[in-house]
Structure formats: structure tokens, C-alpha cells
Amino acid sequence: MERKNIVSGIWKFRDRVSVEELGEVAKKWAEDKNYLQLYVRRASNDQYGIGFMYQLPKGTEKHDVYFDVTTDALKRKFGNDLIGWDLASPTWIVK
């Protein structure tokens, strides 16, 4: 059940970033076969988020590289409108 090679979580953005914009980002990410799941949802009263499950490349158990690369790209695109994240590995898949 434990999957050390899967990172799951949510990237959080101010609600002035539209659902459509986040949907476009998620659609682009979906081209990467390592994304197992992607969705956009409200994260709180004033936030939207991109939720995901990402399978790390074979032999990788740490999510640091994924986190650093993705954070840099999102900060370049959205600046201070990227307001947080909640992601971790391993993931325990139940269903």
C-alpha cells in the first residue's frame, strides 16, 4: 500500500488566479505521463488549488527535485499568487 515513489498534494493560489488559468496549467502537466491524477479545486475561501499525484522516476524516493523544479516554474508564472503547498511522499493508496 505504501508508495515511496509517489508525491501527492496540492499547490495553492490566490483566488484572483482563475480556475481556467489553473486548468490550463494542469492540462499542460497532464502531458507528463508521471502525473497519475490532476484536478483543480477550491482550497479555502480565498484560494484555488491544483491537486495531484505524481510518480517519481524509477529509483527516486525523494520529492525534492520535483518540488524545486515545480515551485520555481509556478513562482515565475504566478509570482506571489502562488501562496502555498501541501505535498509529501510517501503516499498510501487505498483505492
Side-chain angles (χ1 to χ4, degrees):
M1 212 162 86
E2 179 181 3
R3 299 287 301 270
K4 291 182 179 179
N5 64 337
I6 292 180
V7 179
S8 60
I10 188 165
W11 297 96
K12 300 176 187 179
F13 304 84
R14 295 188 197 289
D15 63 0
R16 65 179 168 225
V17 177
S18 72
V19 170
E20 291 77 21
E21 278 183 278
L22 296 179
E24 289 302 315
V25 170
K27 285 178 188 175
K28 182 166 175 50
W29 288 356
E31 296 171 6
D32 180 342
K33 65 179 175 45
N34 289 334
Y35 277 101
L36 306 175
Q37 186 179 83
L38 283 161
Y39 56 91
V40 175
R41 70 170 179 89
R42 182 160 295 280
S44 73
N45 286 343
D46 62 347
Q47 298 175 9
Y48 292 118
I50 300 175
F52 69 94
M53 289 182 82
Y54 184 84
Q55 185 162 354
L56 296 169
K58 250 188 186 5
T60 305
E61 289 187 7
K62 293 194 176 189
H63 63 279
D64 297 350
V65 172
Y66 168 81
F67 175 78
D68 292 343
V69 169
T70 307
T71 301
D72 289 346
L74 291 173
K75 284 182 179 179
R76 279 193 304 278
K77 182 168 181 63
F78 296 105
N80 290 334
D81 286 335
L82 170 66
I83 57 175
W85 50 82
D86 179 3
L87 55 116
S89 181
T91 297
W92 288 262
I93 299 174
V94 176
K95 180 178 176 185

